[in-house]
Amino acid sequence: MSKNNRFQRAVRGVWEHSHAVYSEWTDEQRTAVQPAVDALLAWLADAGSEGELIARYWAVGDPPGEVLRPHLPAGIGAEAALTVQEECFWRRVVALEAAAPDA
């Protein structure tokens, strides 16, 4: 396995872990962050590959965070904000896989 494949699997594992954490949140918690989820998913919608998602995730200056933060409820902690961000990346990579011709 190449270094790139290991790196991609590691990043995907982080996103999947946050998805599991997010799935355990209450309906109230998920509803409170839904505007942020919608905003970040809209920003990610034109990412056409997992590689592009990873590039956006690691982009200098934290563009995903810049999209997300204005839509998060007041007082949300950094860890929860990161969970929301990674949940969005997870959703987008799953959507890309579902849309793949061999899916």
Side-chain angles (χ1 to χ4, degrees), residues 45-66:
D46 66 339
S49 70
E50 188 168 352
E52 188 175 345
L53 287 172
I54 290 171
R56 288 186 186 196
Y57 182 74
W58 290 106
V60 173
D62 189 26
E66 294 299 317

Side-chain angles (χ1 to χ4, degrees), residues 25-70:
W25 285 12
T26 66
D27 289 342
E28 183 179 317
Q29 289 171 304
R30 287 193 304 268
T31 298
V33 299
Q34 191 60 48
V37 169
D38 293 340
L40 190 53
L41 286 174
W43 184 75
L44 294 173
D46 66 339
S49 70
E50 188 168 352
E52 188 175 345
L53 287 172
I54 290 171
R56 288 186 186 196
Y57 182 74
W58 290 106
V60 173
D62 189 26
E66 294 299 317
V67 171
L68 193 70
R69 276 190 290 280

